Amino acid sequence: MSRPGIKTHSRLWKLFTALAVLASLVIYFAPAAADDIAPAESTTKSDAIHISAEHSQDWHDGDTFTSVLRGRCHITQGGTDIAANEMVLWITKQADSGRDHVTAFLDGDVRVEQPGRTLTERSLLLDLVTGGGMTIHVRQRIEEKPATDDVLYRRAWQRRTRGTLPRIRQTQFRAPGPADESPPDGPSLQPFPETSDIPLNPPTNGIRRFQIFSRSQVPFNAVTQQSTDTVPPETVTIITGGVNVQVEGVRAPDGTLAGPIDLSADRVVMWRQGDGAFSAVGEESPDQPLRFYLEGNVVVRQGETVIKSKRGYYDARANQAYIMEAELRSKVPNIKNDVRVRANVIRQLAEQSFHAQGAWITTSEFGKPGYRIEASDIFLDPRPASWFFGGGEPEYNPETGLMEPEMQLWATTLNNTFRFDDLPLFYWPKLSFPAEEPDIPLRRLTYQSDNIFGSQIYTAWDVFMLAGWEEPENMRLNLLLNYFTERGFSIGTDSAYKGEDLFNIAGTYSGNSDSFYIHDSGHDNLGRRRRDLDLETKDRGRLRMRHRHNFPYDITFWGEVGYLTDYNFLEQYFEDEYDNGKDNETYGYAKQHLDNWAWSVIARGRVNDFFTQTEWLPRADLYTLSQPLFGGALTWTQHSWLANANLRTVQDPGPEIDPLFSPLPWDVDVGGNIASTKHELNAPFNLGPAIIVPYALGEVTYWEEDANAEQTTRLYGSLGVRGSLMFSKYMPEVQSDIFNLNGLAHKMLFTADYSYSESNVDLNDVPIYNEFNDNSQEEFTRHMITTTYGGMLPATVDPRFYAVRTGAGRSVTAPYHELVDDQQVARLAWRNRWQTKVGPLDRPRIKDWMILDFETSYFPDPNRDNFGEDFGLFGARYQWNVGARTSLYAGAGWDTFEGGQQLWDAGVLSKRTDRGSFFAGISQIKNSSGLDSQIVTLRVNYEMSPKWRSTVGTAYDIGENQDRGQSVTVTRQGKDFNLRVGASYNPSKNTSSIGISVEPRFINLRSNTFSGDSFSGSGGTR
């Protein structure tokens, strides 16, 4: 059978084939036969040989390089060009002359073009010698290992060693002569007889040929008798002693020529029409009956498909087979594994169509894999590959001149039982899926147990396989079915996709979506002081859809729908996403870059009323970045925008839902029109080695409703100067294998930025339409007001004032322009880089070997700007990349006023190749509330063996003498599946849990497997 993806024959191709056959017959009966090809005057042994093909499999056997090539094969030397569908090459170099010697077997529509003449053959064997060099160009090399079992190679080897068909006479390719032109030691060419029992003319489209020979060095035995029970009479031949049968010219039911078939067995019975005489070779019409019964170590090969069994039956006229106790293997393009079907009975219905009964299917190399689909019936047949969502579109076939679909081997299974070893897990009546991914539709299976959800089972199922649909290219869709003994059943989905030219609109796109629903019968446990909370609704869940589209002219569109049913759902069921992920929003956003100009438009609505969000109805922005003015003497940057907005804040959900809730000082419900424009002019110049940049910044913003629900226009201006001065020293003599140093460069940069700013509106009167914290951070601040500060947030920990002190809102393009106020400040920094070179000598790259930074800010008006202290915002950062896998780091952030932040951390991270990683660190958090925490964290990930990996993590607060949690996971990495067993303890929620996860590992061969999504889905597990 031909491999999936080979183009089917068209009517035009049949016409070309018929003309080629006619030409070959004319050439055969002409006075100059194939054995009398005259040399081309334009070709000499000094001409280079050029070889090309679509696919190849190569290997070395001593001094001989062997290659099996398929698809548009060409050999060119001088004025001779030879083309074929497939070919096998043996290449050696003559030690004494230095010339390359090539023996080539070409098969399938062979065409030899020489100046003034053309030869067409079914197959040819030829020798070539060149002293001008040789090139081989192949689009894809499948793998580098011997293909001696390949049916093409076996046919080529038999032709080479036995000389059963005529070859091109050695003329200009290898002229008879001196011994120095003979091939070197290695597989030698045997002399070809001038005559043969096989007719010289190859089989035409109307001829079927068979050959019978021993499959070992021991000759076979044949007994023939005439059958008189049939009309017309048949010859029955019983062959024993190990037999190999090759049949060419087999026709498919639609009349197209099928690939050659190779049969081998210990014993064979052959039925064919005839007068009772036995012949080991023969040619006849494809309409004539030719049948074989095979028994003992049966092997059936056709194309990329191999069937092994104990006994079977093959009908060459119908190209159908009936194989018992069989295993079918079929190669899939672009992957290394075979599709395997083990069955009680396998019926071959056509060249690429099979029906297996009492079977299972897998890509695992294990004899009986741990995970498998067992089915009453499995059907394999080729189908056009899906071209939805921009992939797998029909391709132009230059041989036929038609657009032809890419073919894909497809499996349909009935009455399926999914087994883990011999344990049945699940039953499904029908599945349909690409044969290259025959693993069960169960994508994930996880068991956990804790006192929040009880015993839990998480599963993810491939929807396309369950429904028997063809899966679109570059798309994933999973069905999530989970069960919690303390909560109930849940159902959900997760999906991801990407592609090009959606709806024939140029551009790339990607996205994903998640959904989850549960009728919850429990209570929420969200940590200390919130361990038993009522539910707002028992019907809980979420829907999230995100899409990104890149259009021509540098236009990008983002869209999202984010819906949650209640206040605590996300934190309870998807805690990691709640703490670290992007907020759930519903919006559409478009942006375009035009050199140093850009514009954007956004429309956003609030669908979750338990989060503070601004509705943009809509908003439009215009940016200009670093536009030179007056010949470059000045540089202009601006950001202007217009919007209609509604700022909607969260309301108190009540103590049953959140007993720690407290409103934030800037939470106000206001709305209306907003207009703002912000500009900066700077005039950079050099003062010796220093770069000096004086600048002036101004902003005008109008709010229809400010924090007091009144119209306000704010004027904000800032004058300043910033500068930088760099020193460097290069030390190429510094070399150390211990510290991985290949030269050393020390670069030191001093920066300073002084600014004087004024605003006519107090920060407390400014509405914060642009959120500057995530929802989880805002909720943490609300809880801190209740638990730590007695209902009133001190200014020293108010994030708005911290943003003003750090200058977070001063930039022209700052997303939260509201966070500016009267201020005078000088920001100073001293930054150091020690750099070395790593990598290959011809392509070294620069690496930061050590980093050391210091920074601080000076406030001339400390009572107004820095809570009474002249200096503040002290910061330091240190990192030493000791080697390629080990780093030491330390950092600090410090304020000297009472109640200011006192933060520092230090640690070491080491990654030992793929064997594992180690992290140890300590961090301090201290502020005015009495919080004084020093948390020690340890994480170890270690691969104990190729099959076992362990992960351990722990955290302990030595400042407050409190345990912060532990976790341990052990993973068993198997061929068929990964098994994870883990346990964890969370003292905040006063819960411990254990978990077991099973993930099938059948090679993920599906053509639509992809990575790099714009957004990553939750997967439906916590």
Side-chain angles (χ1 to χ4, degrees):
M1 297 180 182
S2 58
R3 70 174 63 181
I6 300 298
K7 304 296 183 181
T8 56
H9 293 277
S10 67
R11 294 182 178 177
L12 185 58
W13 174 244
K14 294 177 183 178
L15 176 60
F16 288 163
T17 303
L19 292 175
V21 171
L22 179 60
S24 66
L25 293 175
V26 171
I27 291 173
Y28 170 72
F29 288 109
D35 198 39
D36 297 318
I37 297 179
E41 296 181 358
S42 60
T43 302
T44 69
K45 286 179 288 187
S46 62
D47 291 326
I49 297 176
H50 303 284
I51 301 171
S52 65
E54 291 291 311
H55 310 281
S56 76
Q57 182 171 344
D58 314 321
W59 70 96
H60 285 83
D61 184 5
D63 296 332
T64 302
F65 174 80
T66 306
S67 181
V68 177
L69 304 100
R70 287 183 166 88
R72 302 179 186 177
C73 301
H74 280 271
I75 301 178
T76 303
Q77 185 180 30
T80 300
D81 181 80
I82 308 171
N85 295 337
E86 303 174 315
M87 65 182 175
V88 178
L89 303 177
W90 292 273
I91 303 173
T92 58
K93 183 175 287 293
Q94 298 176 350
D96 47 3
S97 65
R99 291 172 175 166
D100 292 310
H101 173 224
V102 181
T103 298
F105 171 77
L106 301 101
D107 189 59
D109 301 314
V110 181
R111 188 176 182 87
V112 182
E113 297 280 357
Q114 293 179 334
R117 66 186 307 170
T118 298
L119 169 68
T120 302
E121 291 283 354
R122 176 65 180 86
S123 60
L124 282 177
L125 184 73
L126 55 90
D127 295 332
L128 302 91
V129 174
T130 179
M134 181 169 52
T135 62
I136 301 178
H137 177 73
V138 178
R139 186 175 62 84
Q140 180 184 26
R141 298 188 183 276
I142 298 176
E143 54 187 337
E144 189 172 347
K145 72 174 186 180
T148 53
D149 289 334
D150 189 289
V151 64
L152 174 64
Y153 177 81
R154 293 183 59 179
R155 190 162 61 252
W157 180 252
Q158 292 159 4
R159 183 74 56 81
R160 182 185 183 194
T161 56
R162 300 191 182 195
T164 55
L165 283 181
R167 59 175 179 173
I168 296 180
R169 181 168 58 84
Q170 300 172 13
T171 55
Q172 72 278 12
F173 302 112
R174 184 181 173 204
D180 61 358
E181 295 185 5
S182 61
D185 293 338
S188 60
L189 295 180
Q190 303 298 324
F192 285 83
E194 294 299 327
T195 61
S196 172
D197 293 335
I198 299 176
L200 292 179
N201 57 312
T204 64
N205 285 341
I207 297 296
R208 180 181 64 218
R209 172 190 291 135
F210 69 87
Q211 303 177 63
I212 302 174
F213 47 87
S214 175
R215 69 177 181 184
S216 67
Q217 298 300 320
V218 179
F220 60 80
N221 298 313
V223 177
T224 302
Q225 63 183 24
Q226 185 77 14
S227 172
T228 59
D229 296 334
T230 61
V231 179
E234 287 185 331
T235 298
V236 182
T237 304
I238 301 174
I239 311 172
T240 59
V243 186
N244 184 257
V245 181
Q246 292 184 355
V247 184
E248 297 179 284
V250 175
R251 288 284 171 178
D254 62 358
T256 59
L257 188 65
I261 190 164
D262 186 288
L263 312 170
S264 64
D266 294 342
R267 297 168 296 278
V268 172
V269 180
M270 178 178 69
W271 292 268
R272 63 185 296 248
Q273 286 187 6
D275 56 4
F278 169 73
S279 174
V281 294
E283 290 186 351
E284 57 196 6
S285 169
D287 297 330
Q288 296 295 317
L290 180 61
R291 295 166 291 159
F292 299 92
Y293 171 77
L294 306 103
E295 187 175 82
N297 298 311
V298 176
V299 180
V300 180
R301 291 184 175 90
Q302 190 171 24
E304 301 295 340
T305 301
V306 178
I307 302 176
K308 295 182 179 181
S309 70
K310 295 182 179 180
R311 57 189 183 277
Y313 170 84
Y314 175 70
D315 186 339
R317 181 168 60 177
N319 194 25
Q320 294 181 350
Y322 184 91
I323 313 295
M324 290 155 282
E325 300 178 71
E327 178 176 308
L328 179 148
R329 285 176 176 261
S330 183
K331 279 192 174 296
V332 179
N334 305 322
I335 66 171
K336 296 182 178 180
N337 288 62
D338 297 342
V339 174
R340 295 173 53 215
V341 176
R342 182 78 63 85
N344 297 330
V345 174
I346 295 180
R347 290 182 172 88
Q348 179 177 346
L349 307 177
E351 183 180 3
Q352 293 186 9
S353 297
F354 298 89
H355 175 203
Q357 293 178 299
W360 47 259
I361 183 170
T362 182
T363 56
S364 171
E365 291 300 318
F366 288 171
K368 188 175 182 180
Y371 258 111
R372 60 191 182 277
I373 299 175
E374 290 190 359
S376 64
D377 298 88
I378 296 178
F379 297 89
L380 292 177
D381 59 271
R383 300 184 187 180
S386 172
W387 53 270
F388 297 107
F389 297 93
E393 295 184 355
E395 297 180 357
Y396 176 75
N397 186 344
E399 296 179 350
T400 64
L402 301 176
M403 297 296 293
E404 298 180 356
E406 179 184 354
M407 303 303 292
Q408 183 178 31
L409 194 61
W410 200 263
T412 301
T413 61
L414 305 179
N415 302 315
N416 302 278
T417 302
F418 312 119
R419 292 187 180 272
F420 172 55
D421 284 336
D422 288 323
L423 177 66
L425 295 179
F426 188 71
Y427 170 83
W428 197 259
K430 181 181 178 181
L431 293 173
S432 188
F433 49 87
E436 57 263 37
E437 190 172 0
D439 51 322
I440 68 176
L442 180 64
R443 292 291 170 254
R444 289 187 300 274
L445 172 63
T446 303
Y447 170 82
Q448 287 184 213
S449 179
D450 57 41
N451 58 4
I452 297 178
F453 296 96
S455 296
Q456 309 143 54
I457 298 177
Y458 298 90
T459 67
W461 304 84
D462 189 306
V463 171
F464 293 102
M465 290 184 68
L466 290 176
W469 300 335
E470 291 192 27
E471 184 162 4
E473 188 83 6
N474 290 334
M475 184 174 184
R476 179 195 73 228
L477 177 59
N478 290 332
L479 174 67
L480 310 178
L481 298 175
N482 311 319
Y483 175 67
F484 315 92
T485 57
E486 298 294 327
R487 300 298 186 102
F489 286 96
S490 75
I491 186 172
T493 62
D494 77 61
S495 69
Y497 60 88
K498 68 176 183 180
E500 299 179 359
D501 304 338
L502 183 64
F503 304 125
N504 294 323
I505 301 175
T508 62
Y509 62 90
S510 61
N512 65 20
S513 66
D514 297 275
S515 65
F516 184 94
Y517 168 79
I518 186 172
H519 184 76
D520 201 334
S521 58
H523 290 259
D524 283 342
N525 181 345
L526 303 179
R528 189 173 290 115
R529 303 187 187 185
R530 297 186 298 155
R531 291 178 177 169
D532 188 13
L533 304 180
D534 291 341
L535 307 181
E536 290 184 78
T537 176
K538 290 184 177 295
D539 294 312
R540 312 180 73 185
R542 58 97 55 85
L543 173 64
R544 182 183 64 178
M545 303 172 64
R546 292 172 174 169
H547 180 85
R548 172 174 176 165
H549 212 124
N550 300 311
F551 293 98
Y553 308 107
D554 207 11
I555 299 176
T556 305
F557 171 82
W558 291 266
E560 178 177 348
V561 173
Y563 171 74
L564 301 170
T565 55
D566 59 278
Y567 189 88
N568 290 326
F569 169 79
L570 194 64
E571 185 177 5
Q572 179 70 97
Y573 283 89
F574 298 87
E575 184 176 8
D576 184 68
E577 179 189 336
Y578 176 77
D579 290 337
N580 304 305
K582 177 185 173 297
D583 286 348
N584 282 260
E585 304 174 84
T586 300
Y587 68 90
Y589 175 73
K591 187 172 185 177
Q592 181 184 26
H593 291 273
L594 301 168
D595 195 14
N596 61 333
W597 291 73
W599 61 263
S600 66
V601 176
I602 185 172
R604 182 174 75 170
R606 187 178 78 154
V607 298
N608 303 309
D609 59 5
F610 34 82
F611 294 133
T612 296
Q613 285 183 343
T614 298
E615 297 179 326
W616 300 111
L617 306 171
R619 168 176 169 166
D621 294 68
L622 179 65
Y623 301 86
T624 308
L625 303 178
S626 301
Q627 176 68 35
L629 300 177
F630 305 109
L634 296 177
T635 300
W636 170 50
T637 299
Q638 70 86 29
H639 174 206
S640 304
W641 56 282
L642 296 169
N644 182 274
N646 289 326
L647 175 55
R648 295 293 177 253
T649 60
V650 60
Q651 303 302 312
D652 188 348
E656 299 83 4
I657 306 302
D658 188 357
L660 307 181
F661 180 88
S662 181
L664 298 173
W666 57 90
D667 277 351
V668 290
D669 282 309
V670 292
N673 296 317
I674 305 173
S676 177
T677 184
K678 194 174 193 177
H679 301 257
E680 178 184 307
L681 288 174
N682 60 60
F685 64 91
N686 293 333
L687 184 61
I691 300 176
I692 307 300
V693 185
Y695 63 87
L697 183 148
E699 177 198 292
V700 179
T701 302
Y702 164 79
W703 292 281
E704 188 173 349
E705 287 189 353
D706 65 3
N708 304 309
E710 298 177 352
Q711 291 189 21
T712 297
T713 299
R714 184 181 72 176
L715 304 178
Y716 171 76
S718 180
L719 295 175
V721 59
R722 50 181 175 261
S724 62
L725 179 63
M726 175 178 282
F727 299 89
S728 59
K729 181 179 181 180
Y730 299 93
M731 298 164 279
E733 72 279 0
V734 177
Q735 301 285 331
S736 174
D737 293 335
I738 297 176
F739 296 107
N740 198 24
L741 288 174
N742 180 23
L744 192 64
H746 181 199
K747 299 177 181 179
M748 186 165 50
L749 179 67
F750 293 93
T751 64
D753 185 350
Y754 169 79
S755 63
Y756 180 87
S757 307
E758 291 283 352
S759 174
N760 68 332
V761 177
D762 188 85
L763 181 62
N764 288 306
D765 296 329
V766 173
I768 309 298
Y769 281 92
N770 294 282
E771 305 100 307
F772 58 91
N773 271 337
D774 292 337
N775 294 332
S776 58
Q777 294 173 308
E778 291 179 348
E779 184 178 36
F780 177 81
T781 304
R782 292 189 180 95
H783 293 172
M784 190 172 60
I785 294 174
T786 301
T787 60
T788 306
Y789 299 110
M792 182 67 69
L793 185 68
T796 55
V797 295
D798 191 318
R800 295 177 300 168
F801 299 131
Y802 182 82
V804 171
R805 289 196 303 128
T806 59
R810 295 188 69 251
S811 168
V812 172
T813 57
Y816 17 78
H817 73 108
E818 299 96 338
L819 300 178
V820 293
D821 206 348
D822 297 342
Q823 187 182 61
Q824 185 179 186
V825 61
R827 307 185 193 280
L828 310 173
W830 176 29
R831 309 190 187 280
N832 296 268
R833 298 290 185 275
W834 287 267
Q835 297 177 329
T836 188
K837 290 185 178 180
V838 297
L841 295 178
D842 58 335
R843 297 189 306 276
R845 66 181 188 276
I846 296 176
K847 169 189 172 182
D848 285 339
W849 181 68
M850 190 177 291
I851 298 171
L852 179 62
D853 295 339
F854 297 99
E855 58 189 15
T856 187
S857 296
Y858 171 68
F859 298 91
D861 189 349
N863 292 326
R864 181 192 65 180
D865 297 336
N866 197 47
F867 305 106
E869 295 291 336
D870 294 332
F871 284 90
L873 297 174
F874 292 96
R877 177 194 176 204
Y878 174 75
Q879 181 173 331
W880 179 19
N881 298 313
V882 182
R885 302 185 181 98
T886 302
S887 299
L888 303 176
Y889 77 92
W894 212 272
D895 273 313
T896 56
F897 55 80
E898 183 179 356
Q901 64 176 352
Q902 296 180 19
L903 314 174
W904 59 264
D905 64 347
V908 56
L909 173 63
S910 180
K911 296 182 178 179
R912 307 310 304 168
T913 63
D914 294 332
R915 292 300 301 273
S917 62
F918 170 82
F919 170 79
I922 182 172
S923 60
Q924 172 182 282
I925 303 174
K926 185 176 181 179
N927 65 8
S928 60
S929 65
L931 175 63
D932 186 4
S933 173
Q934 291 95 36
I935 299 178
V936 177
T937 303
L938 176 67
R939 291 196 302 271
V940 179
N941 188 335
Y942 181 66
E943 185 177 288
M944 299 175 286
S945 74
K947 292 184 178 180
W948 293 92
R949 177 179 290 273
S950 62
T951 303
V952 178
T954 184
Y956 190 83
D957 192 332
I958 59 177
E960 298 187 348
N961 195 26
Q962 290 184 358
D963 184 15
R964 296 299 185 186
Q966 289 78 38
S967 66
V968 59
T969 302
V970 177
T971 303
R972 204 280 188 184
Q973 303 174 116
K975 175 70 175 179
D976 294 321
F977 56 86
N978 286 342
L979 176 65
R980 291 188 177 90
V981 179
S984 64
Y985 173 65
N986 186 335
S988 174
K989 296 181 179 179
N990 191 28
T991 181
S992 59
S993 65
I994 61 172
I996 300 175
S997 175
V998 177
E999 294 183 0
R1001 283 194 69 194
F1002 289 127
I1003 311 292
N1004 199 358
L1005 309 171
R1006 182 175 303 164
S1007 60
N1008 67 352
T1009 302
F1010 60 97
S1011 59
D1013 301 331
S1014 300
F1015 313 98
S1016 58
S1018 64
T1021 58
R1022 296 177 294 116

